[in-house]
Amino acid sequence: MSTTRVTVLAVVAWDAAALTSGVIVTLTAQLSPQTVMRDLPASADYCGVSTATRLIADRWSLLVVRELAVENTRFSEIHDALPGLSRSLLSSRLRYLERLGIIERLDLCQGDRRSKHLYVLTEVGWGLMPVLRALGDWGMQFQADSDDPSGMQVDLQRMKESVDRSSLPSGRISIQFLFARSEQHSAWLRVDRAGARACLGVWEGDPNLVVRSTPATLSDLYWGQRTCRDAIANRDITFEGPVKYARGFSGWFSNRPAVRGFDTVGL
């Protein structure tokens, strides 16, 4: 007797005839928040904050939601944007958020070699945006100095992912960052036909533009806490290189939270 495997994506009633005919039914039902709450460890759910923290206040769920909000919708894009999150744990978080109805997985056509699926926010997921904005504003008050190399490496990764290639001179650019009042003195970012690369240290070639600033200032610009115009006026960022590159710098990083929904303040 041949065996057929059937995956059921909804709550179903058991069919005795199907079970006796060799059909293996795998249940992957989308759970309601109430059902998920029932299965979590018991605690005092005395208010909405308690309920919300039990559902999504783990280390990574809200960060995954943030990446989807800025249109990092492929598994690899989310994974690259969240250093420290393993692929297995990311898979687990995506499945959990999908069961909650916060995200939705979309199947891609077979011709797309980069990924088989896209993950997008549902209406419920987009409802978390005010929460993320408020958390971001609150967290900025406690932001540690970004002098440690690991923190600067994360910031470089974010900037690399946010580059808008269509806005670059001839589609390519090399930028050398020199940091004052920092243990990590330099970093570089290069975009060309081979892709975007970023690393701590000094680039071996001749950069198109040298940017003197601090890691904290670049972080503020990335998250929309300051404008580039304000940073220039206060001498918190300066440029060495062609004037057209210095003027264009603020428009090269358009794929950022500050532009894609979290804020309206430009880099």
Side-chain angles (χ1 to χ4, degrees):
M1 177 179 63
S2 62
T3 299
T4 303
R5 182 175 298 274
V6 177
T7 300
V8 183
L9 298 177
V11 177
V12 300
W14 291 102
D15 186 338
L19 293 177
T20 58
S21 64
V23 175
I24 300 176
V25 179
T26 303
L27 290 178
T28 57
Q30 182 172 350
L31 306 179
S32 67
Q34 291 78 12
T35 303
V36 175
M37 287 291 296
R38 182 192 63 198
D39 295 335
L40 290 176
S43 66
D45 295 315
Y46 49 83
C47 67
V49 173
S50 176
T51 299
T53 54
R54 290 185 69 196
L55 287 172
I56 57 172
D58 58 78
R59 181 180 180 185
W60 296 108
S61 289
L62 284 176
L63 294 178
V64 171
V65 170
R66 181 196 69 189
E67 293 307 316
L68 294 179
V70 298
E71 298 189 7
N72 283 330
T73 56
R74 289 178 168 81
F75 185 97
S76 59
E77 293 172 339
I78 302 170
H79 182 257
D80 290 343
L82 297 175
L85 175 59
S86 68
R87 297 181 68 87
S88 60
L89 185 53
L90 174 56
S91 294
S92 174
R93 288 292 181 268
L94 288 169
R95 289 194 299 268
Y96 175 71
L97 292 171
E98 188 177 3
R99 291 199 302 270
L100 281 183
I102 292 174
I103 71 173
E104 180 182 4
R105 186 180 68 174
L106 304 178
D107 294 331
L108 294 176
C109 63
Q110 295 181 353
D112 193 322
R113 298 181 179 180
R114 291 178 294 175
S115 177
K116 295 181 179 179
H117 312 289
L118 288 182
Y119 297 90
V120 297
L121 293 176
T122 64
E123 183 178 355
V124 174
W126 282 111
L128 287 168
M129 291 306 101
V131 177
L132 289 177
R133 292 190 190 97
L135 280 173
D137 291 341
W138 184 81
M140 289 300 296
Q141 302 176 44
F142 298 92
Q143 185 182 32
D145 190 358
S146 301
D147 283 347
D148 65 286
S150 61
M152 191 60 240
Q153 187 68 59
V154 171
D155 288 340
L156 277 175
Q157 176 68 22
R158 290 169 177 163
M159 293 186 70
K160 183 185 77 171
E161 296 296 332
S162 69
V163 171
D164 179 7
R165 297 176 66 94
S166 65
S167 67
L168 298 177
S170 302
R172 63 181 66 186
I173 198 71
S174 58
I175 307 172
Q176 178 71 62
F177 297 98
L178 299 178
F179 304 124
R181 304 185 302 277
S182 173
E183 295 179 2
Q184 188 61 48
H185 297 294
S186 59
W188 56 266
L189 171 65
R190 178 168 174 78
V191 183
D192 55 25
R193 293 178 180 177
R197 288 156 289 170
C199 189
L200 299 175
V202 177
W203 188 53
E204 295 181 354
D206 294 325
N208 300 117
L209 184 68
V210 175
V211 179
R212 295 183 181 272
S213 187
T214 64
T217 296
L218 290 179
S219 180
D220 286 348
L221 295 175
Y222 179 87
W223 290 106
Q225 301 298 318
R226 299 181 64 183
T227 64
C228 196
R229 179 179 298 179
D230 170 72
I232 292 172
N234 287 279
R235 303 291 294 175
D236 291 327
I237 188 170
T238 60
F239 304 96
E240 298 174 11
V243 173
K244 64 177 181 180
Y245 288 168
R247 290 177 176 173
F249 177 81
S250 61
W252 293 343
F253 304 91
S254 62
N255 301 315
R256 299 174 297 114
V259 175
R260 293 204 169 191
F262 286 156
D263 203 329
T264 58
V265 180
L267 178 62

